[in-house]
Amino acid sequence: WSEDPPRGTVTLSTGTRAGVYQKYGELLRTSLSTHMPDLEVRLLTSDGSQENVRRVATGQADFAIAAADA
């Protein structure tokens, strides 16, 4: 038994363009494109953790990278 890999689009809220959260998002998107080619990962830059958490809470993003204290 095997499942088809996920397909569609997911949105990940990251951080500033030159920041480490953006780099993590890019690395994750690259890895997922290799293993889940039918899944598009859209990255949203942001001002950081608080904005990222707010985006997930309001449905603007499916996932986010955030500090634990955000």
Side-chain angles (χ1 to χ4, degrees):
W1 180 75
S2 68
E3 292 183 26
D4 290 332
R7 62 180 54 231
T9 302
V10 294
T11 302
L12 173 64
S13 191
T14 58
T16 61
R17 290 196 190 281
V20 68
Y21 287 2
Q22 179 69 16
K23 183 64 177 174
Y24 290 159
E26 291 168 357
L27 291 169
L28 180 61
R29 180 173 56 188
T30 299
S31 179
L32 289 174
S33 71
T34 299
H35 301 286
M36 300 177 188
D38 294 327
L39 183 67
E40 177 186 351
V41 178
R42 192 175 79 145
L43 303 180
L44 289 179
T45 58
S46 75
D47 290 328
S49 294
Q50 290 182 348
E51 184 176 9
N52 291 347
V53 170
R54 188 171 35 257
R55 283 179 173 170
V56 171
T58 61
Q60 293 176 296
D62 300 301
F63 301 97
I65 301 172
D69 62 352

